[in-house]
Amino acid sequence: VYQPEIIVKQFTFEKWTMLKTFLSAVAASFLVQALLSCVRAWKPAFRATRKEFFCGSCHCGNVRGSASTILGAFILGAGMAFGGACPGTVFAQLGAGVWQGAVTVA
């Protein structure tokens, strides 16, 4: 999806193309993570990652965890809604001559 109109309509709940794509990717990721978490050699890595993400830590002024993830997702979504461009498709927009892609890169 590189057309700015479709990206903006996603945020006004008029088009569902991007949501279907994202939810498919999330479902596939959940499946792979669930399968990998059952492998004995991977269990310590999964526990450490879960503890780091959910418990959070303060290292060099960076706070990690759910709050920073939610804030980052909000900022990304607001930028996509206002700019009509997604970071993943901005180069496709440039190649197609869509002016919103050039504004987003600038």
Side-chain angles (χ1 to χ4, degrees), residues 7 9 13 21 23 27 29 33 35 57 64 67 71 87 89 102 106:
I7 294 173
K9 285 182 180 181
F13 303 108
T21 304
L23 289 178
S29 296
Q33 292 292 325
L35 293 173
S57 67
R64 299 179 194 152
L71 178 62
T89 61

Side-chain angles (χ1 to χ4, degrees), residues 48-102:
T49 303
R50 187 179 311 125
K51 181 180 177 186
E52 179 70 23
F53 182 77
F54 288 110
C55 297
S57 67
C58 194
H59 181 67
C60 298
N62 292 328
V63 177
R64 299 179 194 152
S66 300
S68 59
T69 301
I70 292 169
L71 178 62
F74 176 78
I75 292 170
L76 175 66
M80 287 175 60
F82 288 127
C86 173
T89 61
V90 72
F91 294 111
Q93 288 180 332
L94 288 174
V98 177
W99 67 270
Q100 284 92 337

